[in-house]
Amino acid sequence: MVSILDTTLREGEQTPGVCFDAHIKLAIAGLLSDVGVDVIEGGHPAVTEEIRGALTLLASRGLRPRIGAHARSMERDVDLALECGVQFLGVFYCVTDERLRDHQQSLPAAIDRIARVVRYARERRPDLVIRYTPEDAVRSPFDNVVAAASEAVRAGADVISVADTTGYLIPGTPRSMYDFVSRLREALASRDLAPKIAVHCHNDRGLALANALDGYRAGARIIDATVLGLGERAGLVDLATLMAVLAHDFGEGAGWDLTRLPELYALVARYAGIAVPEHFPVTGRNAFTHCAGIHTQAATKNPLHYQSLPAELVGRTSTIALDHMSGVSSVRHCLSLIGVDGGGGLAEEVLRRVKEVGQSGRTVDLVELGYIVRSIQDHPLAAAGRT
Ligand code: COA
Ligand code: ZN
């Protein structure tokens, strides 16, 4: 069974300009809990006093998901996180040769530091779930990652996160998350170590979700995501799409309620000031809307002719949009929704007018459809003269 770690409140706030008030964070966390995520990463306490305050509130709420904090590899950051009362701690430190040179650290010194900090957290909170992330793991020398991960686990880390910090991986190539997770699990197992593997996939190449699923297929059992895919640069894996695919196509989802996703997305979009793109998978306005006449003619009989995900899974319904791409079946269907019989040439005349409106760049909703019907019924001769 996979666990979902939502980091909208931590990584999501690394989207330029995004900052949620504490009461909004609580509301978002409540919906994340209802949807069924396992961990809510609520922030990095070292960043601001407000983040510490919000994390403390979140952690005291007794929500079902564990509340997590981010910490650099230093005791001070761990202390701040533990003071907030979190149940999950993510410690990160790079292991690439170039970055270590920047930090003026040798690899052994870096590994000592990571192990020391993880042990420090473990000693203070035996029931804490601790994750160690070798930042930019997938572009780091593999042996460095294995060495650091091994010592972190020996020091008390429960989870090793494979961070594709720059969205570098490509499925089906030697640079894949599938290969990386498989090799890492094998290398750790050969040292009698079996931490849970998490994947943190950025979307710089538009492949975050594909890479996350690749990691899952290789045995990763924690996947990071954010609402709307918010995060640094091009962001992260989109939570709703990830959960819908895992539930529908991989048999995951015991205890999930994906029908709460639309409410969650509306809330986050509003307070992030970033609208859900209309064509976004799963939560976008058009995600379950059929437009072209040939599609709607089939979809009115069975939406799954032109959908591979059921709208109801995620609290949506399939709909039809009327514009210049419509056919007479689309119009007849929509007329039936407003209780109008399209016989006697009415549907054809309505279609002609719907196409006129559509060409001006608008769709016709059911209210406007009623106006069109009324205008034809009020002026039947004008309509007849045109045919
Ligand atoms: N472990 C330990 N130290 C780390 C580290 C890690 N994983 N990653 C970076 N650092 C150090 C850097 O070396 C640098 O310290 P130095 O100036 O002594 O070399 C410092 O952390 C970061 O630089 P800077 O941001 O200039 O320091 P700051 O003290 O002004 O602020 C933060 C530190 C964390 C409060 C600030 O950067 C911040 O608010 N960041 C937002 C959260 C963030 O960066 N998240 C990244 C998640 S991957
Ligand atoms: Zn990230």
Side-chain angles (χ1 to χ4, degrees):
M1 217 173 75
V2 73
S3 298
I4 304 296
L5 181 149
D6 183 273
T7 180
T8 306
L9 303 182
R10 196 279 295 171
E11 174 87 47
E13 277 208 344
Q14 291 175 222
T15 310
V18 170
C19 182
F20 302 107
D21 288 324
H23 57 281
I24 302 299
K25 287 186 177 172
L26 285 173
I28 293 171
L31 279 168
L32 286 168
S33 173
D34 292 346
V35 164
V37 309
D38 300 276
V39 181
I40 295 173
E41 198 169 57
H44 184 156
V47 175
T48 62
E49 201 179 317
E50 286 71 18
I51 287 178
R52 289 195 285 283
L55 260 173
T56 306
L57 266 177
L58 277 171
S60 69
R61 278 297 159 108
L63 291 171
R64 189 193 44 75
R66 283 179 182 267
I67 303 300
H70 223 206
R72 288 171 293 179
S73 196
M74 52 171 68
E75 284 81 352
R76 189 183 105 81
D77 277 21
V78 172
D79 285 339
L80 289 175
L82 296 186
E83 281 162 22
C84 297
V86 296
Q87 300 106 27
F88 182 102
L89 179 74
V91 173
F92 60 96
Y93 203 78
C94 57
V95 291
T96 64
D97 299 328
E98 295 78 7
R99 289 294 303 282
L100 287 175
R101 219 171 293 130
D102 286 350
H103 284 285
Q104 291 165 352
Q105 290 259 312
S106 65
L107 179 67
I111 292 175
D112 281 352
R113 173 190 193 121
I114 294 157
R116 189 189 76 226
V117 172
V118 169
R119 198 171 301 112
Y120 179 82
R122 172 58 67 225
E123 281 165 6
R124 269 148 198 78
R125 209 55 76 70
D127 58 342
L128 191 68
V129 175
I130 303 177
R131 174 191 70 199
Y132 164 63
T133 303
E135 264 189 293
D136 207 1
V138 304
R139 292 195 306 171
S140 306
F142 187 68
D143 291 346
N144 293 12
V145 172
V146 173
S150 301
E151 286 314 308
V153 174
R154 290 188 183 114
D158 308 282
V159 179
I160 298 298
S161 179
V162 178
D164 184 9
T165 304
T166 65
Y168 172 71
L169 296 180
I170 302 180
T173 71
R175 220 165 84 189
S176 76
M177 188 58 101
Y178 186 91
D179 285 1
F180 197 96
V181 170
S182 304
R183 286 171 62 212
L184 181 61
R185 290 180 70 211
E186 270 169 36
L188 293 174
S190 74
R191 297 164 179 226
D192 285 330
L193 301 171
K196 269 198 174 177
I197 302 295
V199 286
H200 181 86
C201 302
H202 274 269
N203 205 28
D204 300 69
R205 285 175 171 73
L207 294 170
L209 175 62
N211 287 325
L213 293 174
D214 227 17
Y216 169 76
R217 287 177 46 251
R221 284 298 168 263
I222 301 179
I223 303 180
D224 294 7
T226 57
V227 174
L228 270 160
L230 295 177
E232 288 276 347
R233 306 182 312 283
L236 213 66
V237 174
D238 173 55
L239 178 77
T241 317
L242 173 73
M243 293 183 87
V245 171
L246 286 171
H248 189 261
D249 302 315
F250 291 90
E252 296 283 355
W256 294 357
D257 179 3
L258 305 189
T259 66
R260 307 301 303 279
L261 286 169
E263 201 183 331
L264 172 65
Y265 272 61
L267 179 67
V268 172
R270 177 166 180 200
Y271 290 99
I274 295 178
V276 184
E278 302 210 342
H279 61 293
F280 215 51
V282 177
T283 50
R285 199 178 75 152
N286 296 341
F288 300 100
T289 298
H290 304 279
C291 183
I294 289 163
H295 289 209
T296 56
Q297 189 265 343
T300 50
K301 295 190 175 78
N302 178 0
L304 296 185
H305 287 316
Y306 281 98
Q307 277 173 221
S308 64
L309 284 172
E312 294 69 23
L313 173 73
V314 290
R316 311 279 308 270
T317 47
S318 300
T319 59
I320 281 175
L322 294 174
D323 70 5
H324 67 300
M325 287 288 161
S326 298
V328 77
S329 318
S330 325
V331 169
R332 281 209 189 95
H333 175 80
C334 291
L335 286 175
S336 76
L337 294 179
I338 57 168
V340 173
D341 175 17
L346 180 65
E348 287 74 7
E349 177 57 15
V350 171
L351 176 62
R352 195 185 62 70
R353 300 203 188 180
V354 162
K355 283 190 182 266
E356 272 175 14
V357 174
Q359 283 173 115
S360 72
R362 283 200 296 116
T363 58
V364 172
D365 62 18
L366 294 182
V367 174
E368 186 173 359
L369 187 67
Y371 299 152
I372 291 175
V373 169
R374 207 174 313 147
S375 83
I376 294 170
Q377 288 170 338
D378 288 349
H379 303 283
L381 291 179
R386 278 202 193 87
T387 50

